[in-house]
Amino acid sequence: MSFIRAGMRERTTMEKLVITLAPTGNVPGKDLNPDTPVTPAEIAEDIEECRGLGVSIAHIHARDEGGRPTHSKQAYGKILAEIKARNIDVITQLSTGARGGENTPEGRGQMLDLACDMASLATGSSNFPNSVNENSPALIEALAKKMYENGIKPEIEAFDAGMISNAKRLLKKGVLKEPLHFNLVMNVPGSIEGTPRNLMFMIESLPPGSTWSVCGIGPSQVSMLTMGILLGGHVRTGLEDTLLYEKGVPATNAMLVKRVVRIAKELNRAVATPDQAREMLGL
Ligand code: MG
């Protein structure tokens, strides 16, 4: 539920905190941070370790044999198979993001044939530093349709306020179905900056009854996640979002998750189990 209507203004206790791990995006490689997991086994290993630390959702990107980003169903399938083989109780969320190299609905949505719980859905376009985060109206609708047909809950990735506006429009149109779940992606270079005022504005723009999480790219990591925990939302962390733990100190996924759990504890916010997260998100 949106904290505005059901959270901090009327309640002094909050829902448990759902922590998502984004262990590897499309940008990081071993050259940028040697602890970046790239192979299916490395990715599953980090998910397993971080599940033990309090993570309940794994946001997954795949790489090809050469370590390049890919939308390949086979590549995603290998990661899901590793998670299954290790018996990790985690909510699986596959990325349909624009950086995987393809831009047709067939290419971008091919991993949605796999058995997974959630998938990312950007509801608008923006710029990355060196490429376009291209999500045409036809592509967004096709991906959403396939997600619902396959029983996959979309996580709406809002890189800017306009993507929330478009999600509301798609809800009215029947393309998206309530209750919506958002990830507020703060501080991607070229999109909305990760400031407290901007995060408050994004949260207050959400449709009533939505659940939300926040991720803070690069130096906005600690401030955005701390605000998310305080305001009754949920949080995402991992090397996809920041390669540094602090200035000059390379991060690992476990270091980032441990910090979130410590902050949550100090702020009196209990961490959700995967089953509690499933219930909160209606999975
Ligand atoms: Mg991603």
Side-chain angles (χ1 to χ4, degrees), residues 179-193:
L180 301 184
H181 177 69
F182 288 83
N183 182 39
L184 307 174
V185 185
M186 305 300 290
N187 214 44
V188 169
S191 294
I192 195 164
E193 289 170 279

Side-chain angles (χ1 to χ4, degrees), residues 22 24-26 59-61 95-97 120 157 159 236 240-241:
T24 190
N26 284 323
H59 172 83
I60 296 165
H61 285 255
S95 171
T96 66
S120 66
E157 306 296 321
F159 292 73
R236 178 180 111 174
E240 174 170 354
D241 298 339

Side-chain angles (χ1 to χ4, degrees), residues 19-45:
I19 304 175
T20 298
L21 175 70
T24 190
N26 284 323
V27 177
K30 305 262 187 215
D31 52 331
L32 295 175
N33 180 321
D35 287 310
T36 306
V38 174
T39 65
E42 289 171 345
I43 291 170
E45 194 175 313

